Amino acid sequence: QVQLVESGGGLVQAGGSLRLSCAASGSIFSINAMGWYRQAPGKQRELVARIISDGSTTVADSVRGRFTISRDNAKNTVYLQMSSLKPEDTAVFYCNADVLVLPTWRVVNFWGQGTQVTVSS
């Protein structure tokens, strides 16, 4: 069993900044990739940013230049530094990870519980 525990969500004014954290724990051998998704009311969940074990990243066009994803492999933690926030960034943000799980030695995808980010205009 693997759990992803998120923190850092909240209410911020447009133009402000927020830093999200997600820590993975459990029967983990390694984590291949970690990322952040978001879902606004009435919309589908979308990829925000993703980081692979080699450090390479994928960032959505809508947040490129404003959001930065990073990872602390020793802590099995991924971060999302968000700046220049806009009202349209308002959504539930979900942490996601591809984990090589013990004792089965299989890669399994996990989701966090989600954390609300609200950007006021």
Side-chain angles (χ1 to χ4, degrees):
Q1 184 67 30
V2 173
Q3 290 187 338
L4 305 179
V5 180
E6 303 170 353
S7 61
L11 175 65
V12 65
Q13 292 184 339
S17 299
L18 209 59
R19 184 176 186 252
L20 305 182
S21 301
C22 173
S25 62
S27 300
I28 300 169
F29 180 80
S30 63
I31 300 178
N32 294 345
M34 301 186 79
W36 292 94
Y37 293 71
R38 67 185 181 186
Q39 188 167 20
K43 295 186 177 182
Q44 292 188 325
R45 191 171 301 184
E46 64 176 355
L47 174 68
V48 177
R50 188 171 184 260
I51 185 166
I52 303 174
S53 57
D54 66 358
S56 62
T57 61
T58 299
V59 181
D61 291 342
S62 60
V63 305
R64 187 171 292 116
R66 299 187 297 120
F67 292 9
T68 301
I69 189 168
S70 60
R71 180 174 173 176
D72 186 338
N73 291 330
K75 296 181 178 180
N76 288 331
T77 299
V78 64
Y79 306 93
L80 186 67
Q81 179 65 51
M82 304 183 292
S83 61
S84 301
L85 283 162
K86 305 174 181 179
E88 52 262 43
D89 294 319
T90 295
V92 178
F93 282 68
Y94 296 91
C95 180
N96 180 265
D98 289 332
V99 181
L100 181 55
V101 178
L102 296 174
T104 60
W105 298 93
R106 298 191 67 181
V107 176
V108 181
N109 186 259
F110 293 93
W111 289 95
Q113 75 282 3
T115 184
Q116 178 70 47
V117 172
T118 302
V119 184
S120 62
S121 60

